[in-house]
């Protein structure tokens, strides 16, 4: 199967690989997996006090499409609000990377990862708010 | 499932031989009346290979039964037979192969047993999972593998993975023994991840031996 140039670009030059400290209150972590491929994807966001995603990092063990999908999402979410980032659809990722049908689930994984990271961040801040009250 | 599944003779269900119309039990290869080869019929993989339905498969018996069936279904034995018999013996051989491939592999066997119980374990599907314990373990082990630079370091990760595969298979045996299908499902996914890790470790080792230019 031939990968598109965009997939190869992200695969060979992945953007924003790495980790933030999970305990940091400004960080939301999404950890998801695709049992079909044995893939595991970690996507983290760092959120400013006014609710803007300042930075994002990922670490993915999986195929080229999974790496490219998560790399692309970290680029896209920077500068977005949480709601905007949560609105990213896997179809947009798949379309941008020209993923073949058998690799669509990699873009689903990336969408699930960003949603999980946002949910984790919101859970954390809610817990902080409650602790403050 | 149709109403037939409640039938008391489900396992040894009889159907008429296509050739002589005599009664044949479903897993039989040949008609006991006219000796004509039968079609594969609808039986589960365990029944097809004459094994009891358990996660603990005796590999010696499994191999023995499999090779015995394949010997009796060998194409040479049907060279002088009708086209129909040749076709039936071939589809029997395919069904026997399929059953054997599923039962000899612990991961496929576990997923198959869950599917027999109506559980869907997606070892080929595309569903996302978010079990934090499993994924953190997988991430941690894949990171350890990625950081392993020498053969010895890779061997260490691989040995740890293989040991966990065995532990996981033992736990699966217990879970199926207690009919704890939720646990069996979670362990099956874990086994998939551990298998992937072992596969990656082998690939990394071979790249180390023959560096890709």
């Amino acid at each position: 199967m031939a990968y598109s140039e965009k997939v190869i670009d992200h695969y060979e030059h992945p953007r924003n690989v790495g980790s933030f400290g999970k305990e940091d209150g400004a960080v939301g972590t999404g950890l998801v997996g695709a049992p079909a491929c044995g893939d595991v994807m970690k996507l983290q966001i760092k959120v400013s006090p006014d609710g803007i995603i300042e930075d994002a990092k990922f670490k993915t063990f999986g195929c080229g499409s999974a790496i490219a999908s998560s790399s692309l999402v970290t680029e896209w979410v920077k500068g977005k609000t949480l709601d905007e980032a949560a609105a990213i659809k896997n179809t947009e990722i798949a379309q941008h990377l020209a993923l073949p049908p058998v690799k669509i689930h990699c873009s689903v994984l990336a969408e699930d990862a960003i949603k999980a990271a946002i949910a984790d961040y919101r859970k954390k801040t809610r817990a902080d708010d409650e602790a403050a009250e | 499932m149709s109403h037939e599944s409640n039938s008391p003779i489900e396992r040894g269900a009889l159907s008429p031989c296509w050739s002589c119309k005599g009664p044949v039990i479903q897993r039989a290869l040949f008609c006991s009346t006219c000796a004509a080869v039968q079609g594969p019929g609808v039986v589960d993989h365990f029944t097809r290979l004459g094994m009891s339905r358990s996660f603990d498969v005796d590999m010696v018996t499994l191999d023995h039964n499999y090779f015995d069936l394949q010997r009796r279904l060998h194409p040479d034995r049907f060279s002088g037979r009708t086209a129909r018999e040749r076709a039936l013996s071939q589809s029997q051989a395919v069904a026997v192969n399929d059953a054997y491939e599923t039962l000899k592999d612990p991961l496929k066997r576990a997923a198959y047993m869950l599917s027999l119980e109506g559980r869907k374990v997606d070892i080929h599907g595309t569903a996302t999972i978010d079990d934090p314990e499993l994924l953190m373990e997988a991430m941690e082990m894949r990171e350890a593998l990625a950081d392993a630079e020498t053969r010895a370091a890779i061997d260490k990760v691989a040995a740890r993975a293989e040991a966990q595969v065995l532990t996981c298979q033992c736990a699966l045996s217990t879970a199926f023994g207690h009919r704890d299908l939720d646990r069996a499902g979670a362990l099956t996914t874990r086994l998939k991840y551990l298998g992937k890790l072992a596969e990656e470790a082998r690939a990394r080792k071979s790249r180390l031996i023959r560096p890709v230019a």
Side-chain angles (χ1 to χ4, degrees):
Chain A
M1 176 189 47
Y3 281 121
S4 72
E5 274 176 36
K6 278 178 181 159
V7 170
I8 292 168
D9 180 38
H10 274 279
Y11 179 70
E12 290 182 343
H13 312 285
R15 302 1 168 218
N16 313 308
V17 174
S19 298
F20 298 126
K22 271 175 91 170
E23 307 311 318
D24 186 338
V27 170
T29 303
L31 186 59
V32 294
C37 330
D39 285 0
V40 53
M41 181 181 287
K42 183 173 76 174
L43 204 150
Q44 293 181 300
I45 50 172
K46 193 172 233 172
V47 185
S48 72
D50 49 353
I52 305 290
I53 298 174
E54 290 178 318
D55 204 356
K57 288 204 183 295
F58 82 96
K59 205 164 217 187
T60 294
F61 292 101
C63 66
S65 300
I67 291 169
S69 296
S70 37
S71 173
L72 179 68
V73 166
T74 56
E75 276 199 322
W76 276 0
V77 297
K78 280 192 206 178
K80 281 195 162 69
T81 66
L82 293 175
D83 286 337
E84 284 166 353
I88 292 174
K89 290 273 165 293
N90 86 282
T91 45
E92 301 168 74
I93 302 165
Q95 199 170 21
H96 183 87
L97 294 172
L99 295 181
V102 295
K103 292 290 177 182
I104 297 298
H105 67 275
C106 298
S107 62
V108 175
L109 197 59
E111 179 190 324
D112 291 341
I114 183 67
K115 288 204 160 76
I118 293 166
D120 179 58
Y121 172 78
R122 286 189 164 142
K123 205 171 104 194
K124 264 185 181 173
T125 46
R126 244 197 326 273
D128 284 352
D129 289 348
E130 280 163 16
E133 273 165 22
Chain B
M1 277 288 132
S2 73
H3 57 281
E4 283 164 359
S5 60
N6 294 324
S7 153
I9 52 158
E10 184 196 0
R11 272 221 150 180
L14 299 172
S15 50
C17 168
W18 62 269
S19 178
C20 73
K21 313 292 176 218
V24 182
I25 58 168
Q26 272 197 340
R27 60 163 286 216
L29 297 183
F30 301 96
C31 172
S32 55
T33 312
C34 73
V37 66
Q38 302 296 304
V42 189
V43 295
D44 69 83
H45 294 336
F46 289 97
T47 308
R48 191 176 303 286
L49 293 176
M51 308 293 290
S52 54
R53 197 189 284 187
S54 156
F55 183 72
D56 303 310
V57 164
D58 175 30
M59 286 298 163
V60 176
T61 310
L62 180 71
D63 277 356
H64 175 271
N65 292 359
Y66 167 70
F67 288 115
D68 181 55
L69 290 170
Q70 285 303 32
R71 188 177 50 77
R72 291 161 68 190
L73 290 166
H74 195 281
D76 286 354
R77 291 177 181 260
F78 297 90
S79 56
R81 298 304 188 110
T82 62
R84 174 146 193 194
E85 283 172 289
R86 286 202 303 274
L88 286 174
S89 68
Q90 249 180 35
S91 43
Q92 274 278 14
V94 168
V96 165
N97 267 334
D98 189 27
Y100 180 67
E101 293 301 321
T102 305
L103 295 194
K104 78 169 181 184
D105 177 62
L107 174 63
K108 289 184 189 159
R109 190 193 318 140
Y112 177 68
M113 285 180 71
L114 287 164
S115 76
L116 286 179
E117 300 284 353
R119 298 285 179 120
K120 213 170 138 66
V121 169
D122 237 353
I123 57 167
H124 302 296
T126 57
T128 303
I129 54 162
D130 60 357
D131 175 348
E133 202 183 326
L134 169 78
L135 291 169
M136 266 156 75
E137 179 196 36
M139 182 61 88
E140 189 246 314
M141 289 183 79
R142 294 291 288 270
E143 278 173 343
L145 180 63
D147 292 341
E149 299 286 354
T150 62
R151 255 190 100 161
I154 296 169
D155 280 340
K156 208 171 140 189
V157 178
R160 198 178 137 206
E162 314 256 322
Q164 296 207 21
V165 164
L166 290 179
T167 316
C168 191
Q169 287 175 12
C170 286
L172 264 171
S173 162
T174 309
F176 277 117
H178 293 143
R179 290 192 52 79
D180 185 348
L181 299 180
D182 288 339
R183 179 144 175 77
L187 286 165
T188 302
T189 307
R190 179 152 183 261
L191 191 59
K192 172 88 192 186
Y193 270 89
L194 289 170
K196 178 77 182 177
L197 179 76
E199 184 189 310
E200 289 290 318
R202 279 192 296 275
R204 194 163 154 78
K205 215 156 85 178
S206 69
R207 277 199 301 273
L208 209 65
I209 295 162
R210 288 175 272 104
V212 184

